[in-house]
Amino acid sequence: NNLATPFLTAQWRYLAMLNFEIEPSVLVPYLPAGSELDDWHGRTLVSVVGFRFLDTRVCGWAIPFHRDFDEVNLRFYVRRNAADGWRRGVVFIKELAPRRAVAWVARVIYGENYVTLPMGHDIQRPTDDGLDVCYRWRFEGRENSLKMSVHGESRETEPGSEEEFITEHYWGYTHRRSGRTVEYRIDHARWRIWTANDARLDCDVARLYGSLFVKSLDAPPVSAFLADGSEVSVYRGTSLANEDRR
């Protein structure tokens, strides 16, 4: 059963999450049929997330030179009323990765908007209880970065918290050119987090994401935290039937 066997497995580690409030109307054109915006206490959020993909395997196979790499994505939050109840998921507006094969698989299998760019990371411990995380990428000749500093011990996300809302989404939704919505499942353990004491996005937002995102992403994030990450399993997507997409 292809749906019961993960298509991709990996570890996602050092997930730096910068979260911004945005006007819902900006996201409506990206909303896959059958889903609706999932807000946090009346606030619509988008997140810029940088993280490490480690020990990546497709159908159980490790692809040479494609096991470990960085990703930075811009995502927002949706939900769908399925037969088994509400499914909370994410929609990716754009995903950046340095490996062409990774981008090709994501576009073909899931319909994701992956872009291949030169990328790098820097993860350091300036003190015994501190952690500095930086993800970098070059786009149209400009260096961009996502930086975050945390300190102290990680903690579990509190039930009902904003951190839980952002991290506990176990479905992905994409809009294919045919008009179909593809839904896929993502499994991972609950992540522990550190609240950031400093977080910055240095990015040419207009060129990378479009002018409608400038107001939100050029403002300070409304929250920022680092998640430790875990092993992750991503399953093959299924097309939603017409009656499920209404």
Side-chain angles (χ1 to χ4, degrees):
N1 186 345
N2 287 337
L3 298 181
T5 303
F7 175 74
L8 180 146
T9 60
Q11 293 190 41
W12 291 353
R13 297 291 181 184
Y14 299 107
L15 295 101
M17 298 182 160
L18 275 63
N19 312 299
F20 304 84
E21 191 166 0
I22 194 167
E23 289 292 332
S25 59
V26 176
L27 302 178
V28 169
Y30 299 91
L31 198 60
S35 67
E36 60 184 58
L37 291 174
D38 193 8
D39 61 47
W40 165 248
H41 291 190
R43 299 160 66 200
T44 302
L45 301 176
V46 293
S47 300
V48 180
V49 182
F51 64 102
R52 296 280 290 143
F53 246 105
L54 302 175
D55 193 23
T56 305
R57 295 172 182 270
V58 176
C59 298
W61 295 87
I63 303 174
F65 311 111
H66 288 75
R67 289 183 64 177
D68 302 340
F69 54 91
D70 303 316
E71 180 178 312
V72 172
N73 63 58
L74 174 62
R75 72 187 207 176
F76 66 96
Y77 305 95
V78 300
R79 62 180 189 166
R80 183 177 82 87
N81 195 3
D84 59 353
W86 286 102
R87 293 181 174 181
R88 298 175 60 229
V90 297
V91 175
F92 295 101
I93 293 170
K94 184 173 286 187
E95 296 160 276
L96 315 178
R99 300 285 189 261
R100 292 187 182 278
V102 171
W104 182 85
V105 168
R107 284 195 296 263
V108 171
I109 301 297
Y110 296 102
E112 297 286 12
N113 183 22
Y114 260 85
V115 178
T116 306
L117 296 175
M119 300 182 71
H121 69 276
D122 191 15
I123 299 172
Q124 296 184 354
R125 288 196 172 274
T127 62
D128 288 343
D129 70 342
L131 191 60
D132 292 343
V133 177
C134 173
Y135 294 100
R136 304 180 302 275
W137 63 98
R138 177 174 284 274
F139 180 69
E140 295 187 353
R142 183 191 190 279
E143 287 289 339
N144 302 263
S145 64
L146 184 164
K147 296 181 179 180
M148 181 177 291
S149 296
V150 301
H151 67 270
E153 295 293 324
S154 63
R155 57 183 173 83
E156 294 183 358
T157 55
E158 296 179 10
S161 66
E162 181 182 337
E163 291 91 352
E164 182 188 59
F165 170 80
I166 289 168
T167 57
E168 300 297 306
H169 284 78
Y170 295 97
W171 298 90
Y173 293 93
T174 60
H175 175 76
R176 302 303 293 256
R177 290 180 180 178
S178 63
R180 294 178 301 129
T181 294
V182 173
E183 176 186 69
Y184 59 94
R185 184 160 59 95
I186 308 163
D187 285 347
H188 64 77
R190 287 179 69 96
W191 296 330
R192 298 179 65 85
I193 63 164
W194 298 261
T195 300
N197 51 289
D198 184 33
R200 298 186 302 278
L201 176 66
D202 178 8
C203 174
D204 187 340
V205 175
R207 285 191 173 187
L208 186 58
Y209 299 120
S211 59
L212 293 178
F213 290 92
V214 170
K215 180 180 178 181
S216 295
L217 299 186
D218 275 355
V222 295
S223 65
F225 57 88
L226 182 71
D228 59 356
S230 66
E231 294 183 356
V232 175
S233 296
V234 182
Y235 294 81
R236 284 189 180 272
T238 58
S239 293
L240 299 185
N242 289 336
E243 60 269 20
D244 292 333
R245 292 168 44 211
R246 294 194 185 109

